[in-house]
Amino acid sequence: MKTDLKQYLSRKREMVDEALREVFPPASDPSRDLVEAMNYSLFAGGKRLRPILCMAGAEAVGGEASSVLPVACGLELIHTYSLIHDDLPVMDDDDMRRGKPTSHKVFGEAVALLAGDGLLTEAFHTMTLPGPSGIPDPEALLKVVGLVAEAAGYRGMVGGQVADIQSEGLEVDPPLLEYIHTHKTGALITVSVVSGAILGGGSEEQVRAVTGYGKKIGLAFQIADDILDIEGDSHELGKTTGSDEKKKKITYPAVFGLERSKEIQRGLVRDAIKALDSFDQKADPLREIAAYVIERRR
């Protein structure tokens, strides 16, 4: 039976939001301003794609979504921190995010910077907390924490972000463009679904297949962002469009053109779905999410 993706995403997003609220109750001590800033960005209306991918990865190998909630929440904390830092004047200098003023516009640059730091460090604390099903297998959790740290750090997201900044205004060859996209965005998306598969008890073969899936949709997701910056609606996106061209960023449409970028994106989605050929219907949410990645409007 085909997954009702809209209902699935909504149900899983509610699970994540409920779990995140338990992690971040209102603070009353001198850290309250910092916690308020962390909450402001964390509950600004995100899609929760990364934690949902983590839960869907666990389900695909026969595990329970609730069993990976702490790690799923940790992934969202890392993603949110990266958005706060991306928006800072020293980075992309954006005023709006998800239809709301960015963190530094509300709390000032110093508190926004520290809110990002707080979310990043809290992410790894959150991953070690017991979930509804208790604490996962310690060996699997240790492996996952290592993979997440690698994907979020200089080997992944941070390294990709630096390459992105340093390439602005330059003529860049396609291999560097792919490096930027697979590291800046793709690495955290890939590790999200892989973490779920590992914690869900997946076999080595299943984890390999899910890794291939994650790499394909991670790149497709960033290409979708590139395209939305050209074709998207600012109101739907909750941020200004056209910023990539203004900043002379290296994007797929800038290198390959809009139509060819869409072809590449569709091919990546086909390959991602094919990577799941050995899985049964429990992997249908992952298949549906792959299609959603290029159909989304924000």
Side-chain angles (χ1 to χ4, degrees), residues 64-148:
E64 294 291 330
S66 60
S67 70
V68 301
L69 260 177
V71 168
C73 288
L75 290 162
E76 187 66 15
L77 298 183
I78 293 171
H79 175 57
T80 304
Y81 119 77
S82 73
L83 299 182
I84 294 174
H85 281 195
D86 281 354
D87 290 337
L88 288 169
V90 73
M91 299 279 278
D92 288 346
D93 195 14
D94 285 324
D95 294 344
M96 300 294 291
R97 168 75 66 177
R98 296 169 176 165
K100 299 173 64 175
T102 47
S103 181
H104 67 275
K105 286 293 180 181
V106 178
F107 300 97
E109 292 177 29
V111 173
L113 176 68
L114 292 168
D117 294 343
L119 287 164
L120 173 60
T121 49
E122 186 63 26
F124 291 98
H125 172 251
T126 299
M127 289 182 201
T128 65
L129 297 175
S133 308
I135 296 176
D137 172 65
E139 186 175 342
L141 181 59
L142 182 63
K143 182 175 183 179
V144 163
V145 170
L147 289 173
V148 172

Coordinates of all heavy atoms in Angstrom, one line a residue, residues 64-148:
E64 N 12.0 0.5 15.0 CA 11.0 1.4 15.4 C 11.4 2.8 15.3 O 12.5 3.2 15.8 CB 10.5 1.1 16.8 CG 9.9 -0.3 17.0 CD 8.5 -0.4 16.3 OE1 7.8 0.7 16.3 OE2 8.1 -1.5 15.9
A65 N 10.6 3.7 14.8 CA 10.9 5.1 14.7 C 11.2 5.7 16.1 O 12.1 6.5 16.2 CB 9.8 5.9 14.0
S66 N 10.4 5.3 17.1 CA 10.6 5.9 18.4 C 11.9 5.6 19.0 O 12.4 6.3 19.9 CB 9.5 5.5 19.3 OG 9.5 4.1 19.5
S67 N 12.5 4.5 18.6 CA 13.8 4.0 19.2 C 15.0 4.9 18.8 O 16.0 4.9 19.5 CB 14.1 2.6 18.8 OG 14.4 2.5 17.4
V68 N 14.8 5.7 17.7 CA 15.9 6.6 17.3 C 15.7 8.1 17.5 O 16.4 8.9 17.0 CB 16.2 6.3 15.8 CG1 16.6 4.9 15.5 CG2 15.0 6.7 14.9
L69 N 14.6 8.4 18.3 CA 14.2 9.8 18.5 C 15.3 10.6 19.1 O 15.5 11.8 18.6 CB 13.0 9.8 19.4 CG 11.6 10.0 18.7 CD1 10.5 10.0 19.7 CD2 11.6 11.3 17.9
P70 N 16.1 10.2 20.1 CA 17.2 11.1 20.6 C 18.2 11.5 19.5 O 18.6 12.6 19.4 CB 17.8 10.3 21.7 CG 16.7 9.4 22.1 CD 16.0 9.0 20.9
V71 N 18.6 10.5 18.7 CA 19.5 10.8 17.6 C 18.8 11.7 16.5 O 19.4 12.7 16.0 CB 20.1 9.6 17.0 CG1 20.9 9.9 15.6 CG2 21.1 8.9 17.9
A72 N 17.6 11.4 16.2 CA 16.8 12.2 15.2 C 16.8 13.7 15.7 O 17.0 14.6 14.9 CB 15.4 11.6 15.1
C73 N 16.5 13.9 17.0 CA 16.4 15.2 17.5 C 17.8 15.9 17.5 O 17.9 17.1 17.1 CB 15.9 15.2 18.9 SG 14.2 14.8 19.1
G74 N 18.8 15.1 17.8 CA 20.2 15.7 17.7 C 20.5 16.2 16.3 O 21.2 17.2 16.1
L75 N 20.1 15.5 15.3 CA 20.3 15.9 13.9 C 19.6 17.2 13.6 O 20.2 18.0 12.9 CB 19.8 14.8 13.0 CG 20.7 13.5 13.0 CD1 19.9 12.3 12.4 CD2 22.0 13.7 12.2
E76 N 18.4 17.4 14.1 CA 17.7 18.6 13.9 C 18.4 19.8 14.6 O 18.4 20.9 14.1 CB 16.3 18.5 14.4 CG 15.4 19.7 14.0 CD 15.2 19.9 12.5 OE1 15.5 19.0 11.7 OE2 14.8 21.0 12.1
L77 N 19.0 19.5 15.8 CA 19.7 20.6 16.5 C 20.9 21.0 15.7 O 21.2 22.2 15.6 CB 20.1 20.1 17.9 CG 19.0 19.7 18.9 CD1 19.7 19.3 20.2 CD2 18.1 20.8 19.1
I78 N 21.6 20.1 15.1 CA 22.8 20.4 14.3 C 22.4 21.2 13.0 O 23.0 22.2 12.7 CB 23.5 19.1 13.8 CG1 24.2 18.5 15.1 CG2 24.6 19.4 12.8 CD1 24.7 17.1 14.8
H79 N 21.3 20.8 12.4 CA 20.8 21.5 11.2 C 20.4 22.9 11.6 O 20.8 23.9 10.9 CB 19.6 20.8 10.6 CG 18.9 21.5 9.5 ND1 19.6 21.8 8.4 CD2 17.7 21.9 9.4 CE1 18.8 22.5 7.5 NE2 17.6 22.5 8.1
T80 N 19.7 23.1 12.7 CA 19.3 24.4 13.1 C 20.4 25.3 13.4 O 20.5 26.5 13.1 CB 18.3 24.3 14.3 OG1 17.2 23.5 14.0 CG2 17.8 25.7 14.7
Y81 N 21.4 24.8 14.1 CA 22.6 25.6 14.4 C 23.3 26.1 13.1 O 23.7 27.2 13.0 CB 23.6 24.8 15.2 CG 25.0 24.6 14.6 CD1 25.9 25.6 14.6 CD2 25.3 23.3 14.0 CE1 27.2 25.4 13.9 CE2 26.5 23.1 13.4 CZ 27.5 24.1 13.3 OH 28.7 23.9 12.7
S82 N 23.3 25.2 12.1 CA 24.0 25.6 10.9 C 23.2 26.7 10.2 O 23.8 27.6 9.5 CB 24.1 24.4 9.9 OG 22.9 24.0 9.4
L83 N 21.9 26.7 10.3 CA 21.1 27.8 9.7 C 21.4 29.1 10.4 O 21.5 30.2 9.7 CB 19.6 27.5 9.7 CG 19.2 26.2 9.0 CD1 17.7 26.0 9.1 CD2 19.6 26.2 7.5
I84 N 21.4 29.1 11.7 CA 21.7 30.3 12.5 C 23.0 30.9 12.0 O 23.2 32.1 11.8 CB 21.7 30.1 14.0 CG1 20.3 29.7 14.5 CG2 22.2 31.3 14.7 CD1 20.3 29.3 15.9
H85 N 24.1 30.1 11.9 CA 25.4 30.6 11.6 C 25.4 31.0 10.1 O 26.1 32.0 9.8 CB 26.4 29.5 11.8 CG 26.8 29.4 13.3 ND1 27.9 28.7 13.7 CD2 26.2 29.9 14.4 CE1 28.0 28.8 15.0 NE2 27.0 29.5 15.5
D86 N 24.7 30.3 9.2 CA 24.7 30.7 7.8 C 24.1 32.1 7.6 O 24.5 32.8 6.7 CB 23.8 29.7 7.0 CG 24.6 28.4 6.7 OD1 25.8 28.4 6.9 OD2 23.9 27.5 6.1
D87 N 23.1 32.4 8.5 CA 22.4 33.7 8.3 C 23.2 34.9 8.9 O 22.9 36.1 8.6 CB 21.1 33.7 9.0 CG 20.1 32.7 8.4 OD1 20.2 32.5 7.2 OD2 19.1 32.3 9.0
L88 N 24.3 34.7 9.6 CA 25.0 35.8 10.3 C 25.6 36.7 9.2 O 26.0 36.2 8.1 CB 26.1 35.2 11.2 CG 25.6 34.6 12.5 CD1 26.8 33.8 13.1 CD2 25.1 35.6 13.4
P89 N 25.8 37.9 9.5 CA 26.4 38.9 8.6 C 27.8 38.4 8.0 O 28.1 38.7 6.9 CB 26.6 40.2 9.4 CG 25.4 40.1 10.4 CD 25.4 38.6 10.8
V90 N 28.6 37.7 8.9 CA 29.9 37.3 8.4 C 29.8 36.2 7.4 O 30.7 35.8 6.7 CB 30.7 36.8 9.6 CG1 30.2 35.5 10.2 CG2 32.2 36.8 9.2
M91 N 28.5 35.5 7.3 CA 28.3 34.5 6.3 C 27.4 35.0 5.2 O 27.9 35.7 4.3 CB 27.7 33.2 7.0 CG 28.6 32.7 8.1 SD 29.9 31.6 7.5 CE 29.0 30.1 7.3
D92 N 26.1 34.6 5.2 CA 25.2 34.9 4.1 C 24.5 36.3 4.3 O 23.9 36.8 3.4 CB 24.2 33.8 3.8 CG 24.8 32.6 3.2 OD1 26.0 32.7 2.7 OD2 24.2 31.6 3.2
D93 N 24.5 36.7 5.6 CA 23.9 38.0 5.9 C 22.5 38.1 5.5 O 22.0 39.0 4.8 CB 24.7 39.2 5.3 CG 24.3 40.5 5.9 OD1 23.7 40.5 7.0 OD2 24.7 41.6 5.4
D94 N 21.7 37.1 5.9 CA 20.2 37.1 5.6 C 19.4 37.6 6.7 O 19.7 37.4 7.9 CB 19.8 35.6 5.3 CG 20.3 35.1 4.0 OD1 20.3 35.9 3.0 OD2 20.7 33.9 3.8
D95 N 18.3 38.3 6.3 CA 17.4 39.0 7.3 C 16.2 38.1 7.6 O 15.6 38.3 8.7 CB 16.9 40.3 6.8 CG 18.0 41.3 6.6 OD1 19.1 41.1 7.2 OD2 17.8 42.3 5.9
M96 N 15.9 37.2 6.7 CA 14.7 36.4 6.9 C 15.0 34.9 6.8 O 15.8 34.5 6.0 CB 13.6 36.7 5.9 CG 13.1 38.2 6.0 SD 12.3 38.6 7.5 CE 10.7 37.6 7.3
R97 N 14.3 34.1 7.6 CA 14.4 32.6 7.5 C 13.1 32.0 7.9 O 12.6 32.3 9.0 CB 15.5 32.2 8.5 CG 15.6 30.7 8.8 CD 16.2 29.9 7.6 NE 17.6 30.2 7.4 CZ 18.3 29.5 6.5 NH1 17.7 28.6 5.7 NH2 19.6 29.9 6.3
R98 N 12.5 31.2 7.0 CA 11.2 30.6 7.3 C 10.1 31.6 7.6 O 9.3 31.4 8.4 CB 11.3 29.6 8.4 CG 12.2 28.4 8.1 CD 12.5 27.5 9.3 NE 13.3 26.4 9.0 CZ 14.0 25.6 9.8 NH1 13.9 25.9 11.1 NH2 14.6 24.6 9.4
G99 N 10.2 32.8 6.9 CA 9.2 33.8 7.1 C 9.3 34.6 8.3 O 8.4 35.5 8.6
K100 N 10.4 34.5 9.1 CA 10.6 35.2 10.3 C 12.0 35.9 10.3 O 12.9 35.4 9.6 CB 10.5 34.3 11.5 CG 9.2 33.6 11.7 CD 9.3 32.5 12.8 CE 9.5 33.2 14.2 NZ 9.5 32.1 15.2
P101 N 12.1 37.0 11.0 CA 13.5 37.6 11.1 C 14.5 36.6 11.6 O 14.2 35.8 12.5 CB 13.3 38.7 12.1 CG 11.8 39.1 12.1 CD 11.1 37.7 11.8
T102 N 15.7 36.6 11.1 CA 16.7 35.7 11.5 C 17.2 35.9 12.9 O 16.9 37.0 13.5 CB 17.9 35.7 10.5 OG1 18.3 37.1 10.3 CG2 17.6 35.1 9.2
S103 N 17.8 35.0 13.5 CA 18.2 35.0 14.9 C 19.0 36.3 15.3 O 18.7 36.9 16.3 CB 19.0 33.8 15.3 OG 19.3 33.8 16.7
H104 N 19.9 36.6 14.5 CA 20.8 37.8 14.9 C 20.0 39.1 14.7 O 20.4 40.1 15.4 CB 22.1 37.8 14.0 CG 21.9 38.1 12.6 ND1 21.6 37.1 11.7 CD2 21.9 39.2 11.9 CE1 21.4 37.6 10.5 NE2 21.6 38.9 10.6
K105 N 18.9 39.1 13.9 CA 18.1 40.3 13.9 C 17.3 40.5 15.1 O 16.9 41.6 15.5 CB 17.2 40.2 12.6 CG 17.9 40.4 11.3 CD 18.4 41.9 11.2 CE 19.2 42.1 9.9 NZ 19.7 43.5 9.8
V106 N 17.0 39.4 15.8 CA 16.1 39.4 17.0 C 16.9 39.5 18.2 O 16.6 40.3 19.1 CB 15.2 38.2 17.0 CG1 14.4 38.2 18.3 CG2 14.3 38.1 15.8
F107 N 18.0 38.7 18.3 CA 18.8 38.6 19.6 C 20.1 39.3 19.5 O 20.8 39.3 20.6 CB 18.9 37.1 19.9 CG 17.6 36.4 20.1 CD1 17.1 35.7 19.1 CD2 16.9 36.5 21.3 CE1 15.8 35.0 19.3 CE2 15.7 35.9 21.5 CZ 15.2 35.1 20.5
G108 N 20.6 39.8 18.4 CA 21.9 40.3 18.2 C 22.9 39.2 17.8 O 22.7 38.0 18.0
E109 N 24.0 39.7 17.2 CA 24.9 38.7 16.6 C 25.6 37.8 17.6 O 25.8 36.6 17.4 CB 26.0 39.5 15.8 CG 25.4 40.2 14.6 CD 26.5 41.0 13.8 OE1 27.7 40.6 13.9 OE2 26.1 42.0 13.2
A110 N 25.9 38.4 18.8 CA 26.7 37.6 19.8 C 25.8 36.4 20.3 O 26.2 35.3 20.4 CB 27.1 38.5 20.9
V111 N 24.6 36.8 20.7 CA 23.7 35.7 21.2 C 23.3 34.7 20.1 O 23.2 33.5 20.4 CB 22.4 36.3 21.8 CG1 21.4 35.3 22.2 CG2 22.8 37.2 23.1
A112 N 23.1 35.2 18.9 CA 22.8 34.3 17.8 C 23.9 33.3 17.6 O 23.7 32.1 17.4 CB 22.5 35.0 16.5
L113 N 25.2 33.8 17.6 CA 26.3 32.9 17.4 C 26.4 31.9 18.5 O 26.6 30.7 18.3 CB 27.6 33.8 17.5 CG 28.9 33.0 17.4 CD1 29.1 32.4 16.0 CD2 30.1 34.0 17.7
L114 N 26.2 32.3 19.8 CA 26.2 31.4 20.9 C 25.0 30.4 20.9 O 25.1 29.3 21.4 CB 26.3 32.2 22.2 CG 27.6 32.9 22.4 CD1 27.5 33.9 23.5 CD2 28.8 32.0 22.6
A115 N 23.9 30.9 20.4 CA 22.7 30.0 20.3 C 23.1 28.8 19.3 O 22.7 27.7 19.6 CB 21.5 30.7 19.8
G116 N 23.7 29.1 18.2 CA 24.2 28.1 17.3 C 25.2 27.1 18.0 O 25.0 25.9 17.9
D117 N 26.1 27.7 18.8 CA 27.1 26.9 19.5 C 26.3 26.0 20.5 O 26.7 24.8 20.7 CB 28.1 27.8 20.2 CG 29.0 28.5 19.3 OD1 29.1 28.2 18.1 OD2 29.6 29.5 19.8
G118 N 25.4 26.6 21.2 CA 24.6 25.8 22.2 C 23.8 24.6 21.6 O 23.8 23.5 22.1
L119 N 23.2 24.9 20.4 CA 22.5 23.8 19.7 C 23.4 22.7 19.3 O 23.1 21.5 19.4 CB 21.7 24.4 18.5 CG 20.5 25.3 18.9 CD1 20.1 26.1 17.7 CD2 19.4 24.4 19.4
L120 N 24.6 23.1 18.7 CA 25.5 22.1 18.2 C 26.0 21.1 19.4 O 26.0 19.9 19.2 CB 26.7 22.7 17.6 CG 27.9 21.8 17.2 CD1 27.4 20.8 16.2 CD2 29.0 22.6 16.6
T121 N 26.4 21.7 20.5 CA 26.9 20.9 21.6 C 25.8 20.1 22.3 O 25.9 19.0 22.7 CB 27.6 21.8 22.6 OG1 26.8 22.9 23.0 CG2 28.9 22.3 22.1
E122 N 24.6 20.7 22.4 CA 23.4 20.0 22.9 C 23.0 18.8 22.1 O 22.5 17.9 22.6 CB 22.3 21.0 23.1 CG 21.1 20.4 23.9 CD 21.4 20.0 25.3 OE1 22.3 20.6 25.9 OE2 20.7 19.1 25.8
A123 N 23.3 18.9 20.8 CA 22.9 17.8 19.9 C 23.6 16.5 20.3 O 22.9 15.5 20.4 CB 23.4 18.2 18.5
F124 N 24.8 16.6 20.7 CA 25.5 15.3 21.1 C 25.1 14.8 22.5 O 25.1 13.6 22.7 CB 27.0 15.5 21.0 CG 27.5 15.6 19.5 CD1 27.7 16.9 19.0 CD2 27.6 14.5 18.7 CE1 28.0 17.0 17.6 CE2 27.9 14.7 17.4 CZ 28.2 15.9 16.8
H125 N 24.7 15.8 23.3 CA 24.2 15.4 24.6 C 22.8 14.7 24.4 O 22.5 13.6 25.0 CB 24.0 16.6 25.5 CG 23.2 16.3 26.8 ND1 22.0 16.8 27.0 CD2 23.6 15.6 27.9 CE1 21.6 16.4 28.2 NE2 22.5 15.7 28.8
T126 N 22.0 15.3 23.5 CA 20.7 14.7 23.3 C 20.8 13.3 22.7 O 20.0 12.4 23.0 CB 19.9 15.6 22.3 OG1 19.8 16.9 22.9 CG2 18.6 15.1 21.9
M127 N 21.7 13.0 21.8 CA 21.9 11.7 21.2 C 22.1 10.6 22.3 O 21.8 9.4 22.0 CB 23.0 11.7 20.2 CG 22.7 12.5 19.0 SD 24.1 12.4 17.8 CE 23.7 13.9 16.8
T128 N 22.7 11.0 23.4 CA 23.0 10.0 24.4 C 21.9 9.8 25.4 O 22.0 8.9 26.3 CB 24.3 10.4 25.2 OG1 24.0 11.6 25.9 CG2 25.5 10.6 24.3
L129 N 20.8 10.5 25.3 CA 19.7 10.4 26.2 C 18.9 9.1 25.9 O 18.8 8.7 24.7 CB 18.8 11.6 26.2 CG 19.4 12.9 26.6 CD1 18.4 14.1 26.3 CD2 19.9 12.9 28.0
P130 N 18.3 8.5 26.9 CA 17.4 7.4 26.6 C 16.1 7.8 25.9 O 15.6 8.9 26.2 CB 17.1 6.8 28.0 CG 17.3 7.9 28.9 CD 18.4 8.7 28.3
G131 N 15.7 7.1 24.9 CA 14.4 7.4 24.2 C 13.3 6.6 24.8 O 13.4 6.0 25.9
P132 N 12.1 6.6 24.1 CA 11.0 5.8 24.6 C 11.3 4.3 24.8 O 10.7 3.7 25.6 CB 9.9 6.1 23.5 CG 10.3 7.4 22.9 CD 11.8 7.4 22.9
S133 N 12.2 3.9 24.0 CA 12.6 2.4 24.0 C 13.9 2.2 24.8 O 14.5 1.1 24.7 CB 12.8 1.9 22.6 OG 11.6 2.2 21.8
G134 N 14.3 3.2 25.5 CA 15.6 3.1 26.3 C 16.8 3.5 25.5 O 16.6 4.2 24.5
I135 N 17.9 3.1 25.9 CA 19.2 3.5 25.2 C 19.5 2.4 24.1 O 19.4 1.2 24.4 CB 20.3 3.6 26.2 CG1 20.1 4.8 27.1 CG2 21.7 3.9 25.4 CD1 21.1 4.9 28.2
P136 N 19.8 2.8 22.9 CA 20.1 1.8 21.9 C 21.4 1.0 22.2 O 22.1 1.3 23.2 CB 20.4 2.7 20.6 CG 19.9 4.0 20.9 CD 19.9 4.2 22.4
D137 N 21.7 0.0 21.4 CA 22.9 -0.7 21.5 C 24.1 0.2 21.6 O 24.3 1.0 20.7 CB 23.0 -1.7 20.3 CG 24.4 -2.4 20.3 OD1 24.6 -3.2 21.3 OD2 25.2 -2.1 19.4
P138 N 24.9 0.2 22.6 CA 26.0 1.1 22.8 C 27.0 1.1 21.6 O 27.5 2.2 21.2 CB 26.7 0.7 24.1 CG 25.6 -0.1 24.9 CD 24.8 -0.7 23.8
E139 N 27.3 0.0 21.1 CA 28.2 -0.1 20.0 C 27.6 0.6 18.7 O 28.3 1.4 18.1 CB 28.5 -1.5 19.6 CG 29.6 -1.7 18.6 CD 30.0 -3.1 18.3 OE1 29.7 -4.0 19.2 OE2 30.6 -3.4 17.3
A140 N 26.3 0.4 18.5 CA 25.7 1.1 17.3 C 25.6 2.6 17.6 O 25.9 3.4 16.6 CB 24.3 0.5 17.1
L141 N 25.3 3.0 18.8 CA 25.2 4.4 19.1 C 26.6 5.1 19.0 O 26.7 6.2 18.4 CB 24.7 4.6 20.5 CG 24.5 6.1 21.0 CD1 23.5 6.8 20.0 CD2 24.0 6.1 22.4
L142 N 27.6 4.4 19.4 CA 29.0 5.0 19.3 C 29.3 5.2 17.9 O 29.9 6.2 17.5 CB 30.0 4.1 20.0 CG 31.4 4.5 20.0 CD1 31.6 5.8 20.8 CD2 32.3 3.5 20.6
K143 N 29.0 4.2 17.0 CA 29.3 4.3 15.6 C 28.6 5.5 15.0 O 29.1 6.3 14.2 CB 28.9 3.0 14.9 CG 29.3 3.1 13.4 CD 29.0 1.7 12.8 CE 29.3 1.7 11.3 NZ 29.1 0.4 10.6
V144 N 27.3 5.6 15.4 CA 26.4 6.7 14.8 C 26.9 8.1 15.2 O 27.0 9.0 14.4 CB 25.0 6.5 15.2 CG1 24.2 7.8 15.0 CG2 24.4 5.4 14.4
V145 N 27.3 8.2 16.5 CA 27.8 9.5 17.0 C 29.0 9.9 16.2 O 29.2 11.1 15.8 CB 28.0 9.5 18.5 CG1 28.8 10.8 18.9 CG2 26.7 9.4 19.3
G146 N 29.9 9.0 16.0 CA 31.1 9.2 15.2 C 30.8 9.7 13.8 O 31.4 10.6 13.2
L147 N 29.9 9.0 13.1 CA 29.5 9.3 11.8 C 28.8 10.7 11.7 O 29.1 11.5 10.7 CB 28.5 8.3 11.2 CG 29.1 6.9 10.9 CD1 28.0 5.9 10.6 CD2 30.1 7.0 9.8
V148 N 28.0 11.0 12.7 CA 27.3 12.3 12.7 C 28.4 13.5 12.9 O 28.3 14.5 12.2 CB 26.3 12.4 13.8 CG1 25.7 13.8 13.9 CG2 25.1 11.5 13.5

